[in-house]
Amino acid sequence: RELLLDGDDANASTASKRAGATPSEHQLWEVAYKTAMLAQQTRLSRGMSQLQEVRASAEERAKAMAAQCGAIQHLRADSEDKERRSVLEREALIRDLRDQVG
């Protein structure tokens, strides 16, 4: 079979076994294809890594915003409670003054 196949028609293993054999068009295509696939896998890997970093950053921001929201709600509730107590104290003071006058 090796004698029948010559040049570009020889398969990769036969061509590579011959002394001083130059790579066939198919071998060159295979190398180019594998190189392109490796480059694509590298890009995809980087993209996935960046996506994970962005996701982690977004999750951290969301947690920080949730904490800020909780703090704001706590401050608002505290402020409303203080305002309620202040109104009740003023109303009690007004009643006391009316009782003293009346």
Side-chain angles (χ1 to χ4, degrees), residues 7-75:
D8 289 341
D9 296 329
N11 67 29
S13 62
T14 306
S16 64
K17 290 177 185 175
R18 286 191 223 125
T22 59
S24 70
E25 185 177 325
H26 179 73
Q27 286 174 317
L28 292 174
W29 181 87
E30 265 187 356
V31 169
Y33 177 78
K34 288 178 182 178
T35 302
M37 292 305 294
L38 182 60
Q40 184 178 18
Q41 287 176 344
T42 301
R43 285 191 304 273
L44 284 172
S45 179
R46 282 188 197 136
M48 291 299 291
S49 178
Q50 289 173 345
L51 180 64
Q52 290 171 347
E53 289 173 9
V54 167
R55 181 179 179 184
S57 175
E59 288 174 350
E60 286 179 31
R61 288 181 185 174
K63 286 178 185 178
M65 290 176 76
Q68 289 176 346
C69 183
I72 290 170
Q73 288 175 340
H74 177 72
L75 289 171

